[in-house]
Amino acid sequence: MPDLKDQTINDFGEQWTAFRDNPGYYGSADLLADLFGPLLSLDEVKAKRIADIGSGTGRIVNMLLDAGADRVVAVEPSDAMLVLKDNTAARAEHIDYLQVPGEQLPPDLGLDYVVSMGVLHHIPEPAPVVRAAYAALRPGGRCIVWLYGYEGNETYLSLAIPLRKLTVLLPHRLLVVLSHGLEWILTAYIALCRILPLPMRSYMRSVLAKFPRSVRRLTIYDQLNPAYAKYYTRAEAEALLSDGGFGDVRLYHRHGYSWTVSGTRPA
């Protein structure tokens, strides 16, 4: 039996080889700006050298290049590397592909930024990844991560955590079927959020409502599939970077349900 880390990598390899596409708003630089929030503007990405830890299908890699990044180091340990290369083939001259876990990002790359969007909360021991990000940055370089948040998700987690005890055991095809069924409920909930002040209303209206239904199904699958998922409190999210040596740690409570965290390697 693989350990939890290896099982999670395998889970995402299967997920991203099944869900290969990044259509519309889901794959746009506009969504990247929403993920960064006030902590980093897309203008600051232009002409910069950036590593993306946990590149999956290449969605964030393409977003960064759309925003004007000069070069991206795409780090993806799973079998999704084949999908990543296919989805970014037209811009391969701007990308370095590394099929290794995040903690094996090489040091002394002199990068301007290291980003990891929606990845560290699936890593049981993220500290080595944060240390690798620190070592790969130039002095004054910044690390920006996006994490599932605990605050604002309490009602959702009361339902999702018990359900995940079952869904992490389901085979891929059965979980896909379940995701199709739950997507109808999600779409109805999004409609209700337009008229009622329901939990996660901002996220539903500002983000999920803009996704095509195929991506909403993927979003559900993504919540129910991985072997490991952690929902970070504000204190835990801040400590993740500060304990890794980063200074000027700043947080953004994105849509009231998740955390974007930025830290700077001291000059």
Side-chain angles (χ1 to χ4, degrees):
M1 289 287 292
D3 64 18
L4 190 56
K5 173 187 171 183
D6 290 339
Q7 182 60 55
T8 302
I9 290 173
N10 292 339
D11 287 342
F12 277 106
E14 183 174 50
Q15 175 172 321
W16 296 131
T17 52
F19 297 93
R20 304 169 65 94
D21 299 328
N22 302 302
Y25 182 67
Y26 179 66
S28 69
D30 287 341
L31 179 56
L32 183 64
D34 181 79
L35 287 165
F36 288 157
L39 302 185
L40 185 70
S41 73
L42 294 189
D43 285 343
E44 294 176 274
V45 170
K46 291 179 180 177
K48 295 300 192 294
R49 299 178 67 247
I50 305 171
D52 173 39
I53 295 178
S55 293
T57 61
R59 180 170 71 112
I60 302 298
V61 173
N62 277 325
M63 288 175 172
L64 291 167
L65 292 171
D66 285 343
D70 177 63
R71 190 153 205 88
V72 178
V73 180
V75 182
E76 174 54 48
S78 79
D79 291 343
M81 178 57 74
L82 296 174
V83 180
L84 165 63
K85 288 183 175 180
D86 186 51
N87 283 348
T88 59
R91 303 156 118 176
E93 70 273 14
H94 295 282
I95 304 168
D96 298 311
Y97 300 96
L98 297 178
Q99 191 170 8
V100 298
E103 64 268 22
Q104 293 182 29
L105 177 67
D108 302 320
L109 295 179
L111 299 173
D112 299 294
Y113 299 104
V114 174
V115 304
S116 188
M117 302 285 106
V119 176
L120 294 188
H121 50 232
H122 292 303
I123 298 177
E125 299 292 339
V129 181
V130 175
R131 289 195 296 268
Y134 183 99
L137 286 163
R138 61 170 174 79
R142 294 172 62 192
C143 179
I144 300 97
V145 302
W146 176 70
L147 305 163
Y148 293 160
Y150 178 79
E151 295 90 342
N153 270 324
E154 293 88 347
T155 301
Y156 168 74
L157 290 176
S158 69
L159 301 172
I161 290 176
L163 183 59
R164 272 182 48 80
K165 291 179 180 178
L166 168 65
T167 58
V168 296
L169 302 175
L170 294 179
H172 166 72
R173 291 182 182 276
L174 190 54
L175 187 55
V176 169
V177 171
L178 177 62
S179 299
H180 274 71
L182 292 175
E183 188 271 328
W184 286 96
I185 298 173
L186 175 60
T187 295
Y189 188 83
I190 291 170
L192 288 173
C193 284
R194 294 190 175 99
I195 56 176
L196 298 173
L198 297 173
M200 300 180 69
R201 185 187 190 199
S202 173
Y203 175 61
M204 295 293 163
R205 297 177 64 192
S206 302
V207 180
L208 283 184
K210 298 179 181 178
F211 290 168
R213 297 188 69 164
S214 62
V215 173
R216 294 179 201 168
R217 291 192 287 270
L218 163 60
T219 302
I220 293 168
Y221 185 103
D222 183 67
Q223 288 286 303
L224 301 179
N225 174 51
Y228 179 82
K230 176 179 174 62
Y231 288 76
Y232 279 77
T233 66
R234 179 187 178 96
E236 290 170 332
E238 183 174 10
L240 183 66
L241 293 193
S242 61
D243 289 353
F246 287 96
D248 188 29
V249 176
R250 293 180 284 160
L251 293 91
Y252 165 54
H253 201 193
R254 179 176 174 254
H255 298 294
Y257 89 104
S258 64
W259 294 108
T260 303
V261 191
S262 169
T264 302
R265 176 173 174 171

